Amino acid sequence: MEMKHEDLVQKLLNCALACESCATACLHEDDVQMMTRCITLDRDCADICLLAARLLQRDSGLALQYLLICEEACRLCADECAKHEHDHCKRCAEACRECAEACHAHHQPVTQD
């Protein structure tokens, strides 16, 4: 892996773990129905971040374009988590914002040859 991607991969992994933790904690909240959008976005964001990390790790030609999608997933998840007062949601929102910013700094526009 190129050293320039090491920090980004770490942020992606941190975000994925925060999202997984948040989704699991949401399932144990008293009113799970109120948390369904949060859980759904947590799970989507975690999967998307893990794939982005894998693509960067293998130096895929699609990796830097895929970060555009990853940034969007992180922003959606952060916005949803920020609506809730639970500590796990606050931690997740922070990790998602950090990851979105890191993706934004590295992504490239989607192009087809």
Side-chain angles (χ1 to χ4, degrees):
M1 174 173 58
E2 292 181 40
M3 292 304 288
K4 68 180 180 178
H5 294 313
E6 193 172 334
D7 288 343
L8 176 55
V9 168
Q10 192 59 57
K11 281 187 172 49
L12 289 161
L13 295 176
N14 291 347
C15 186
L17 293 173
C19 288
E20 288 290 352
S21 294
C22 185
T24 300
C26 285
L27 288 170
H28 294 96
E29 292 297 339
D30 292 335
D31 192 354
V32 176
Q33 275 311 115
M34 292 294 297
M35 306 306 293
T36 53
R37 179 157 167 77
C38 190
I39 294 165
T40 300
L41 287 170
D42 281 339
R43 294 176 70 211
D44 286 352
C45 190
D47 287 346
I48 289 168
C49 285
L50 288 174
L51 180 54
R54 286 188 191 111
L55 292 172
L56 286 166
Q57 189 78 15
R58 68 178 73 134
D59 203 22
S60 168
L62 298 173
L64 296 179
Q65 293 179 4
Y66 186 76
L67 293 176
L68 188 64
I69 293 165
C70 193
E71 177 187 355
E72 179 68 12
C74 289
R75 291 196 191 285
L76 288 170
C77 193
D79 289 348
E80 179 60 30
C81 283
K83 295 176 184 175
H84 305 285
E85 291 300 316
H86 310 293
D87 285 343
H88 55 85
C89 287
K90 290 179 181 177
R91 284 192 301 273
C92 187
E94 184 178 335
C96 287
R97 281 192 194 98
E98 281 183 27
C99 193
E101 291 305 316
C103 288
H104 184 77
H106 289 82
H107 71 63
Q108 293 178 348
V110 178
T111 58
Q112 276 186 305
D113 294 333

